[in-house]
Structures are given as C-alpha cells and as structure tokens.
Amino acid sequence: MNYQWYPGHMTKAIRMMKENISLVDMIIELTDARIPLSGRNPDIDELGKNKERLIILNKADLADPGVTAAWTKYFEEQGLHVMQLNSKQGKDNKKVLDMIRESCAEKIEKDRKRGIKNRPIRAMVAGIPNVGKSTFINRISGKSAAKTGNKPGVTKGKQWIMLGKDLQLLDTPGILWPKFDDETVGLNLALIGSMNDVNLDIGEMAASLIKYMDMYYKGVIEEKYQITDEQIEGLDDMDRITRACEILTCIAFNRKCYVQGARPDMDRASNMLLDDFRSGRLGLISLERP
C-alpha cells in the first residue's frame, strides 16, 4: 500500500513557517517516541539549519524505555539537545524550560554582552500531525492556549503563546511531507495516527503491526487477546503476512467481532488492535530502533 496523506493546509503551513523562521531563536521539534526517526519531517531540518534545536521524544510513556534511551543517545551524539517527555502529565515543565534556556545560552550571553537584557526567547514548536504539540504547549503554559484533539490536523494556523516575560512559543500546524522515499516511514506514521485512517487500508496496517510484533515483541498479542496454542498451531510454517492475517482472524473470533453468518469481522478486529496499540494497552512498544 502507498501510504500518503498531504492535505492542502500543509502546503500553507510550511509556507507560513518559512515566513516566520526569522522571528525565532530556536525550533522545538516534537517527535513521537515510538517512531523518533520516521516522525521527523526533513523539511523542519532544512528550515532550522541555523537555529538552535531541541528534540522532544513525546509520548515516551507509550514507547519501549530501553529503545527510547538508545534514541536519546543517538540524537545527543549528533549534537542535538534532546529529552523524553509525557506532555499529558506536565511533570517535567521546569526541566523543559531549563533545557530551552540551556539551548539558547549562547544567544542569551551574546545579548548580555551587547547590553540587551530580558529579551524573551522565541521558539517555534513544530512536528508531524497528532504528535502532541498543542498539549505540550498547554501543559507548559499552564492554560488552554492551543487547540488539542486526538486526531491529525487540529491546529490549522499559527498561534503565539506567551510564557511569562522570557519565553514566547509559536505553535504551528502538524506537517508531513509530500512523498515518503521509504514505505516503512509512511506505515509508521499511519500506525501512530498521524494520517487520516479514512484514507488507509486498516486491515493491511493491522497485519503489518502483527508482523512487526512477532519479530520484536513475540507473544504479546497472543497473551493480550487470549489466543491459544491450538489456534495458532502450524502458523509458524507460514510466511509472515499470512500468519499475521490468521492471527487477526483469531483476534476477531476471540473478541466476538462477527458479521452476518458468524464470519469474522476483520475491519472491527483491525480497528480494535490499532486502538489498543495507540493507547498503550498492548504495552510499551517502539516501532523503530536506531
């Protein structure tokens, strides 16, 4: 399947970001901790060439902690400031603010030497759709300053949010890029919900997730959906996709997802599996490794 989703407002969004990049000192880029590389828009790298950068591995509470630690080291070795975060809890607000100031320490010192005091740091908050940018801003500001929603495309225009006298945040819409060179990138973005499910083949996505889980988190799906050894007897001799489809059928039967005639409702089972993954009910899972 060709995973692509690039609605018209994203073209306007990237244009707006280019027009405003000269106004900011740094870019705070949120990426989903489950797909830290697939979830980074290469346009943002190009946009922020001469700006300070802070990478936030958001939704770290849903990702495999060992893998997230490896990703943290990976980005630090590239000279980037990076931190893990669960922005829904808002427990690390001080840590975030300290790291923003640390990232801009050189700029602050230059301003001081030039006699400029108390000029606020201006930061652009950027990332892919549904990565939690607006929730992050609301938690760090302590108010509902940005629109939020558990679906891609909620923020459509820019919003300046003031955090006291020393920090201003520019909230921007989530943006993807027009063409993915690697289909796995598109699949990963689809699995975490950064694309509109209406445009995608949910059954194929669910089968791909099962195939991945079989490789890195073997037994988790069988335990979650009470799939017995008798149900999967002989499946190890099948190719991975066929095996994944058979396991999806077992999920449908075990969770009583039927259509007329007691046939397995594969769409319903697929949606259930994806919902369980996205919400963390399957456990702490990362979809890519450094």
Side-chain angles (χ1 to χ4, degrees):
M1 179 178 172
N2 186 21
Y3 293 95
Q4 299 290 341
W5 186 60
Y6 194 73
H9 77 269
M10 290 187 184
T11 301
K12 295 178 183 176
I14 192 67
R15 188 185 309 129
M16 178 272 289
M17 292 169 71
K18 288 177 180 177
E19 290 170 354
N20 286 274
I21 191 65
S22 62
L23 303 177
V24 303
D25 305 301
M26 68 177 298
I27 294 179
I28 302 172
E29 182 184 359
L30 273 72
T31 186
D32 192 301
R34 294 167 294 181
I35 56 164
L37 208 58
S38 295
R40 295 191 66 211
N41 188 330
D43 289 340
I44 295 174
D45 266 341
E46 182 64 26
L47 195 66
K49 269 183 178 177
N50 301 312
K51 301 293 178 180
E52 297 297 334
R53 303 290 298 278
L54 170 58
I55 307 295
I56 292 183
L57 303 175
N58 200 28
K59 304 187 181 182
D61 54 308
L62 300 176
D64 185 325
V67 178
T68 304
W71 277 113
T72 301
K73 182 180 178 183
Y74 170 86
F75 288 123
E76 287 175 342
E77 287 175 348
Q78 294 184 29
L80 296 168
H81 290 87
V82 59
M83 67 177 295
Q84 303 171 25
L85 192 68
N86 171 9
S87 62
K88 282 189 175 181
Q89 290 185 345
K91 289 182 178 179
D92 294 319
N93 285 356
K94 185 179 184 302
K95 185 178 177 182
V96 174
L97 293 171
D98 287 346
M99 190 161 282
I100 290 172
R101 295 184 183 102
E102 180 185 331
S103 301
C104 291
E106 189 176 331
K107 181 205 81 71
I108 294 169
E109 180 60 19
K110 282 182 180 178
D111 282 351
R112 188 188 66 80
K113 288 180 178 178
R114 291 163 58 195
I116 302 171
K117 295 182 180 179
N118 301 320
R119 187 173 82 82
I121 297 169
R122 284 187 158 191
M124 179 182 286
V125 182
I128 60 172
N130 204 32
V131 78
K133 295 184 303 301
S134 296
T135 299
F136 163 75
I137 287 173
N138 289 341
R139 291 298 183 193
I140 201 171
S141 65
K143 57 187 177 182
S144 297
K147 297 176 183 176
T148 63
N150 190 26
K151 61 180 180 179
V154 173
T155 304
K156 293 291 180 67
K158 70 176 183 180
Q159 303 177 74
W160 279 103
I161 292 95
M162 320 301 286
L163 275 70
K165 295 180 179 179
D166 66 342
L167 181 59
Q168 299 174 2
L169 299 181
L170 176 60
D171 186 19
T172 61
I175 53 169
L176 296 177
W177 50 113
K179 184 173 173 46
F180 308 128
D181 294 328
D182 183 350
E183 188 175 306
T184 303
V185 170
L187 172 61
N188 286 342
L189 290 166
L191 286 172
I192 67 161
S194 287
M195 297 184 191
N196 193 330
D197 285 346
V198 173
N199 304 314
L200 303 170
D201 185 329
I202 298 298
E204 184 175 314
M205 288 165 58
S208 296
L209 178 60
I210 293 170
K211 187 174 82 165
Y212 178 85
M213 295 285 289
D214 251 359
M215 293 170 62
Y216 293 100
Y217 300 95
K218 196 166 184 63
V220 168
I221 285 181
E222 288 84 346
E223 181 179 350
K224 170 69 178 176
Y225 298 104
Q226 298 176 317
I227 298 172
T228 64
D229 291 340
E230 289 76 17
Q231 284 180 296
I232 59 174
E233 186 177 357
L235 295 190
D236 286 341
D237 298 328
M238 298 178 176
D239 65 86
R240 289 191 181 277
I241 285 293
T242 304
R243 172 184 163 83
C245 291
E246 290 296 325
I247 289 177
L248 192 57
T249 302
C250 293
I251 293 173
F253 277 124
N254 288 6
R255 289 300 176 89
K256 296 180 170 49
C257 300
Y258 300 129
V259 292
Q260 191 173 9
R263 290 181 294 110
D265 188 335
M266 303 299 277
D267 285 344
R268 191 173 153 206
S270 298
N271 277 303
M272 179 187 298
L273 176 63
L274 291 176
D275 285 344
D276 285 343
F277 163 69
R278 290 169 178 171
S279 65
R281 288 190 293 270
L282 285 184
L284 305 182
I285 295 162
S286 294
L287 293 180
E288 59 184 2
R289 286 153 167 73

